[in-house]
Amino acid sequence: MFNKKNNSNNEEAPYAAGMNFDIEEVEPFLQHLSSSVLDSGFSQGEINTIQSEIDTMKEDNEVKEIGTFDVIYKGKPTKIRIETEIHIEDVEKEVVLYMYSIQELVDIIDEEMLKTEEDVK
């Protein structure tokens, strides 16, 4: 887990939380955020789009900006920008999921990522 300062000029989402996921863990994590942390989160269509974008990534260390998504957090419209990085060893494919947003939401996402990592162990 780490917080990362965004290098772009995107003032809307200056901070990021990030974690390595196995490919099959991304969708359940996004569904969990949508149902437990966000008032209105990612739609199933958006989750499917994120997953299919990740599935198209084939090169080790490839980085891709998936997009910016409108969510509701604590009753206020907020944006989450998602960027991914793929790591491939043999046939195993792992994704680093970066989620950029406001500091408070990034901190919560980071906590949820830690819980997810502990559940896997």
Side-chain angles (χ1 to χ4, degrees):
M1 258 38 53
F2 50 86
N3 280 336
K4 173 177 164 179
K5 185 79 169 146
N6 185 0
N7 293 333
S8 78
N9 292 329
N10 185 353
E11 293 300 317
E12 188 90 30
Y15 299 97
M19 188 177 101
N20 289 9
F21 288 89
D22 290 336
I23 295 294
E24 64 275 359
E25 295 172 337
V26 174
E27 182 175 348
F29 180 74
L30 294 174
Q31 289 170 336
H32 167 72
L33 281 183
S34 296
S35 64
S36 65
V37 172
L38 302 168
D39 300 335
S40 174
F42 301 99
S43 68
Q44 189 57 50
E46 289 171 330
I47 292 171
N48 292 345
T49 298
I50 293 165
Q51 190 70 52
S52 65
E53 287 291 325
I54 292 169
D55 291 343
T56 65
M57 298 173 74
K58 305 288 185 213
E59 304 219 4
D60 190 31
N61 298 317
E62 180 180 354
V63 176
K64 182 182 237 181
E65 183 164 331
I66 304 294
T68 301
F69 301 87
D70 294 313
V71 299
I72 306 293
Y73 174 67
K74 289 191 172 179
K76 294 183 180 167
T78 307
K79 295 188 181 298
I80 295 177
R81 185 169 62 85
I82 296 180
E83 182 178 285
T84 57
E85 182 177 348
I86 291 296
H87 297 281
I88 302 169
E89 280 190 39
D90 301 320
V91 293
E92 295 296 313
K93 193 161 138 177
E94 192 174 77
V95 61
V96 182
L97 190 65
Y98 298 106
M99 301 182 84
Y100 294 87
S101 193
I102 59 172
Q103 181 68 59
E104 181 181 356
L105 182 52
V106 164
D107 290 344
I108 300 290
I109 291 170
D110 196 50
E111 287 174 23
E112 294 302 316
M113 287 177 169
L114 277 170
K115 288 180 197 171
T116 300
E117 186 178 54
E118 289 168 5
D119 289 347
V120 172
K121 288 182 179 178

